[in-house]
Amino acid sequence: MEEISLQPPTAAEVDQYQRWWFTLSAPWKKAFNEAYFQRSSEEMLPDDVLHGIWNAPALRFAGPTALHPNMSFELEDLSGIAGFTKITILVVAHQAIASLDPIAHWLHLESLFVFNNRIKDLDAVARMSNLKEFYFQNNPVESLKPLEHLTNLQTIYCNYTQVSSLEGIGEQHADTLRNFVCLPNDNLRDREVMRFEREVGIRCAKA
C-alpha cells in the first residue's frame, strides 16, 4: 500500500473511521488486515492506519491467484470502500466481484484494475470521465457501450471477455486511446476487428 504523510487525525475523524469500521462486513475487515498487516484477523486497525486508508490515493487488494497476492481469499463485493472519496487508483483483482455499482460515484477515478473477477457489465463506470486506464480482462463483460463517453481513456484491456462487438469505442477515442487490448476474445470475430480498425482507426492489440 502507498504511504503518504498526513497530519494526525482529529477526534472527529477518528470517530468517523471507527464508526465506519463497525459497519464493515467480516470479509472486508479481514481484507484490510491482510492487505496492511499480513494477518488473518478482523481486528480493528490502528487509528493512524485508518486515517491513512481514508486519505490514500491508491488501494490494492489482490486475491490468492494473483501473481503478487496480498490476500488469502476472494472478496465478493466492493461495499467496504464505497464511502471513500480520494482514491484515484484502485486495484481489486483476482477476486469474485460481480458488480462495480458501489463505486459508480467515484467520478475522480483515473485508473481502475478489476481484471479476473465476475463482472458482467460496465454500467457503473459510464460517468467516470477522468478514467485513463481500465483493465477488466478475464471478466464476463458483454458490452463496451458504457465506455462511449469516456474519451480520456488511454489504455483499455478487455481481452478474454464475452464481447462480440466493439461498439462503444469510436472515433471520439482515437486521439487519446493508445493501448486497446481486445484480443484474444472468443466471441469477437475477425470481420468485426477489421471493420473496427478500418472505420475507427484504432488498432486492436493482442495480449
Side-chain angles (χ1 to χ4, degrees):
M1 295 293 185
E2 182 174 342
E3 294 185 3
I4 56 177
S5 179
L6 294 170
Q7 295 295 319
T10 65
E13 287 173 330
V14 169
D15 180 65
Q16 175 192 357
Y17 306 151
Q18 293 181 351
R19 284 189 287 109
W20 162 74
W21 184 266
F22 287 121
T23 68
L24 288 180
S25 65
W28 269 103
K29 290 177 180 178
K30 186 178 178 182
F32 280 108
N33 270 280
E34 290 197 1
Y36 280 85
F37 288 107
Q38 295 80 53
R39 66 188 184 191
S40 182
S41 170
E42 296 175 21
E43 180 181 350
M44 180 182 286
L45 303 187
D47 292 342
D48 61 328
V49 176
L50 293 177
H51 187 48
I53 291 172
W54 269 83
N55 289 276
L59 287 177
R60 178 179 180 269
F61 299 94
T65 60
L67 185 60
H68 300 291
N70 62 357
M71 292 179 55
S72 65
F73 67 99
E74 295 180 346
L75 288 164
E76 296 183 356
D77 61 64
L78 296 175
S79 63
I81 57 176
F84 290 0
T85 60
K86 298 183 179 181
I87 305 298
T88 58
I89 302 172
L90 178 64
V91 181
V92 185
H94 291 268
Q95 306 283 359
I97 305 298
S99 174
L100 297 174
D101 288 351
I103 62 169
H105 60 289
W106 285 19
L107 307 186
H108 52 281
L109 199 62
E110 296 181 3
S111 299
L112 181 56
F113 301 80
V114 288
F115 48 88
N116 292 81
N117 273 286
R118 301 176 184 175
I119 299 163
K120 294 184 178 180
D121 69 73
L122 305 177
D123 293 345
V125 308
R127 297 191 303 123
M128 294 182 182
S129 58
N130 289 314
L131 202 60
K132 297 177 182 178
E133 298 178 290
F134 193 14
Y135 292 72
F136 58 95
Q137 65 269 35
N138 285 289
N139 278 285
V141 171
E142 296 183 354
S143 174
L144 304 182
K145 280 285 289 180
L147 308 184
E148 184 174 8
H149 301 295
L150 304 186
T151 55
N152 284 317
L153 281 166
Q154 299 172 4
T155 297
I156 297 173
Y157 272 66
C158 60
N159 48 305
Y160 295 111
T161 57
Q162 298 297 316
V163 297
S164 58
S165 167
L166 298 178
E167 184 181 3
I169 306 301
E171 293 181 6
Q172 69 274 21
H173 296 93
D175 289 339
T176 54
L177 188 56
R178 294 291 176 263
N179 302 297
F180 183 48
V181 180
C182 61
L183 299 171
N185 259 318
D186 289 345
N187 294 341
L188 194 58
R189 299 292 179 250
D190 289 345
R191 61 178 178 272
E192 169 63 5
V193 172
M194 291 186 290
R195 179 206 63 79
F196 174 84
E197 291 185 330
R198 181 179 66 253
E199 296 180 4
V200 180
I202 296 175
R203 177 175 174 268
C204 292
K206 184 175 183 179

